[in-house]
Amino acid sequence: MIELIPAIDIINGQCVRLTMGDYSQKKVYNSNPVEVARSFEKMGFRRLHVVDLDGAQSKHIVNDAVLHSITENTSLTVDFGGGIKSEEDIEKAFAAGASMVTVGSIAVTNPELFCSWLDKYGAHRLILGADVRNGKIAINGWKDDSEEELLPFLSQYIHRGVIHVLCTEISRDGALQGPAIELYRQIMQEYSHLHLIASGGVSCNEDLHRLERAGIPAAVFGKAFYEGRIDAAELLASYPQKEMGLAKRIIPCLDVKDGMTVKGTNFVNLRQAGDPVELGQAYSDAGADELVFLDITASVEGRKTFTNMVTQVARKINIPFTVGGGINELDDVERLLYAGADKVSVNSAAIRNPHLINEITGKFGSQVCVCAIDARLDDDGWYCYVRGGREKTKLNLFEWAKEVQDRGAGEILFTSMNHDGVKTGFAYDALARLSDELSIPVIASGGAGKMEHFRDAFTLGRADAALAASVFHFGEIKIPELKKYLRAEGINVRL
């Protein structure tokens, strides 16, 4: 289901639109952007794209006061771009209420600075702006062309953890000639897990339907709406925006012991479930969004076997995968990333040495570090466990999750030991509290038994992703059918 994002472009505090980025072809549609934002909210839209065109020309934020007025007077989720050239600009945008910030030119002219922002603010709060003209990235408010080709430009940052990309085909922007669907389809074919926001050229409802049919996750539109070419009521009836946002992820988890996938109940009573490389490839082909491989082997020789398996997996699948188990120091992280993993998961080692999280994120970036938390609801509350769930700690689940976030972890993988393997549903209340108290994504784990449990993880638990093992390994739930079910339930998943 496509995410629909109306746009407000601002010059001199007014709502305007340009044609192909030409400031001489400016048309003012409303002198009060807040009024426009309120009208979008009343229609049923949940997100807004705001562009500071004065800022794009001036190379620093100009209209942060307008942004603040919009965020104060609506409940819209607002992403903001235009003139983001420094950390001060980012801080101003966030202080004015932006949920996300779009960065374009700096990612071209100063990659190291952009990467430092990814590390500091997290990939979930930054959108990579890719403005394209004649196949090259344009910068500085579209006034200048760089030598950067689109796909290599995206590739370097996607591998660095970027998950949101706003791609604008400049020749189409404001021209009402239809979006560059083939360009966007090419990007999605290369990076299927990307949350791509298509921008430029939308002229009518059918253009947005075409983007949705092409599998594009989100689209920005502006001029077509202001010119009366878009029927918002029809769009929102087709694509209700209640559950929009970054697509929810379905993640099979493979526990690996001595080179074979195993699964148990409440962390014990293991039984074999198949070859992890073959299973990983099958899940990738079936439409899984990501994979998690956990090494539960105790021996040193088993660790070598696991590393070799990671290399084989990386050769055969084209979706991101996380590896965990036996990671105690930076050398372990480097070994597994070098073998081909996209992320690493740390659990007991992080509790023993919390600074390990800082070390991982400091060297490799927040997007690489997933902190797994195994917790049990005991008589006196939720407590974290280590050593495969065998040893209770004094750490409260929610306090530790907050510390993990503050130390820079990019995601939390929360497993309820009470629910693990028993197939009665996830720990929805604990998930909801984690999702409310944290700004980083939360992955639900432990308890999946039927498709309704995944739905409830996303609705009741407000999780960003749901992980399961045995229901996938033993064919009880098929991923394509699960995703169709979730889509029918109004949950944004990629088919």
Side-chain angles (χ1 to χ4, degrees):
M1 191 180 299
I2 194 167
E3 183 179 12
L4 305 171
I5 310 174
I8 294 178
D9 293 355
I10 302 169
I11 292 180
N12 295 326
Q14 298 177 308
C15 176
V16 307
R17 292 300 290 179
L18 308 180
T19 300
M20 290 182 279
D22 186 348
Y23 281 74
S24 68
Q25 298 187 58
K26 176 186 74 176
K27 182 173 181 179
V28 177
Y29 286 96
N30 195 304
S31 61
N32 187 349
V34 176
E35 184 178 280
V36 178
R38 282 175 175 160
S39 69
F40 284 132
E41 185 177 31
K42 284 183 179 179
M43 290 175 200
F45 294 103
R46 294 291 175 262
R47 182 168 168 183
L48 181 66
H49 178 61
V50 176
V51 182
D52 183 354
L53 291 175
D54 293 315
Q57 277 198 317
S58 302
K59 300 185 180 180
H60 61 83
I61 285 184
V62 174
N63 287 295
D64 51 313
V66 178
L67 169 63
H68 186 256
S69 294
I70 290 173
T71 59
E72 272 218 319
N73 290 281
T74 73
S75 60
L76 293 166
T77 297
V78 180
D79 61 72
F80 181 84
I84 305 294
K85 306 292 185 184
S86 67
E87 198 166 300
E88 180 183 1
D89 291 322
I90 294 179
E91 295 290 349
K92 275 187 179 180
F94 287 147
S99 297
M100 305 177 76
V101 168
T102 301
V103 179
S105 299
I106 287 296
V108 176
T109 60
N110 195 338
E112 288 186 4
L113 180 59
F114 179 62
C115 287
S116 74
W117 293 346
L118 280 173
D119 293 340
K120 179 170 183 176
Y121 298 105
H124 61 292
R125 301 201 73 189
L126 296 181
I127 302 171
L128 175 62
D131 302 325
V132 186
R133 180 163 46 211
N134 299 321
K136 301 284 183 70
I137 303 296
I139 58 176
N140 297 326
W142 301 352
K143 296 194 299 294
D144 305 314
D145 291 328
S146 74
E147 293 303 311
E148 293 275 2
E149 299 280 351
L150 174 61
L151 287 180
F153 172 73
L154 295 181
S155 177
Q156 65 177 317
Y157 290 121
I158 290 170
H159 288 125
R160 193 65 175 73
V162 161
I163 51 178
H164 303 276
V165 170
L166 172 67
C167 184
T168 303
E169 170 50 74
I170 296 171
S171 66
R172 308 261 184 147
D173 189 73
L176 301 175
Q177 296 176 352
I181 290 179
E182 288 308 312
L183 173 67
Y184 305 133
R185 184 182 282 119
Q186 182 183 9
I187 294 172
M188 290 305 299
Q189 286 173 347
E190 192 75 18
Y191 306 108
S192 60
H193 65 287
L194 194 65
H195 188 252
L196 176 67
I197 307 167
S199 173
V202 171
S203 66
C204 59
N205 285 34
E206 179 55 28
D207 284 340
L208 292 164
H209 293 315
R210 289 170 60 217
L211 286 166
E212 200 275 339
R213 290 194 295 269
I216 310 307
V220 166
F221 59 90
K223 189 171 185 177
F225 176 84
Y226 297 119
E227 295 286 340
R229 291 168 172 251
I230 282 181
D231 180 346
E234 186 274 334
L235 274 182
L236 291 166
S238 300
Y239 313 116
Q241 299 293 286
K242 183 178 179 181
E243 296 296 338
M244 292 297 100
L246 186 62
K248 304 297 186 181
R249 291 169 286 152
I250 301 299
I251 307 176
C253 178
L254 298 89
D255 292 340
V256 180
K257 181 176 174 61
D258 298 324
M260 290 298 293
T261 307
V262 297
K263 183 55 188 163
T265 302
N266 298 125
F267 287 28
V268 296
N269 300 323
L270 302 179
R271 58 175 172 153
Q272 289 195 352
D275 177 80
V277 179
E278 293 178 0
L279 273 175
Q281 186 170 12
Y283 287 139
S284 177
D285 294 342
D289 297 293
E290 295 184 19
L291 296 173
V292 170
F293 294 87
L294 297 179
D295 182 6
I296 62 172
T297 303
S299 68
V300 174
E301 188 59 37
R303 296 281 182 250
K304 293 179 182 177
T305 301
F306 184 79
T307 304
N308 292 336
M309 181 216 73
V310 170
T311 301
Q312 294 177 57
V313 169
R315 289 172 179 163
K316 292 196 173 184
I317 71 168
N318 59 4
I319 58 174
F321 70 97
T322 301
V323 297
I327 295 174
N328 297 298
E329 55 189 21
L330 280 181
D331 285 349
D332 296 321
V333 177
E334 193 158 19
R335 167 175 54 86
L336 292 165
L337 293 178
Y338 182 76
D342 296 282
K343 310 175 193 177
V344 296
S345 171
V346 291
N347 190 337
S348 299
I351 289 178
R352 289 194 303 269
N353 174 22
H355 191 64
L356 177 63
I357 298 171
N358 304 73
E359 292 177 339
I360 294 171
T361 58
K363 183 168 183 178
F364 302 106
S366 294
Q367 78 288 343
V368 161
C369 186
V370 178
C371 190
I373 303 176
D374 299 332
R376 184 191 297 277
L377 179 58
D378 296 326
D379 292 339
D380 53 346
W382 282 97
Y383 284 90
C384 302
Y385 281 69
V386 294
R387 299 184 63 216
R390 296 187 297 275
E391 182 180 312
K392 183 177 180 179
T393 73
K394 295 181 180 180
L395 286 174
N396 173 273
L397 163 64
F398 306 102
E399 293 173 0
W400 173 236
K402 182 64 167 61
E403 180 176 345
V404 162
Q405 173 180 272
D406 292 344
R407 288 182 178 276
E411 289 184 288
I412 283 176
L413 169 55
F414 162 54
T415 300
S416 167
M417 294 175 59
N418 306 77
H419 298 75
D420 183 68
V422 298
K423 302 181 182 179
T424 56
F426 296 91
Y428 305 120
D429 291 344
L431 278 169
R433 181 173 170 184
L434 286 170
S435 298
D436 289 344
E437 293 183 359
L438 303 175
S439 62
I440 60 177
V442 176
I443 304 169
S445 171
K450 53 186 179 179
M451 291 192 285
E452 289 86 347
H453 295 155
F454 289 88
R455 176 200 64 197
D456 293 344
F458 297 132
T459 54
L460 302 178
R462 298 190 282 282
D464 299 278
L467 176 147
S470 60
V471 292
F472 295 142
H473 299 340
F474 303 114
E476 297 166 42
I477 295 177
K478 307 288 188 184
I479 290 175
E481 284 77 6
L482 172 61
K483 286 195 163 187
K484 288 177 184 176
Y485 165 79
L486 292 172
R487 176 70 70 90
E489 291 291 312
I491 293 169
N492 185 23
V493 293
R494 295 196 183 95
L495 297 179

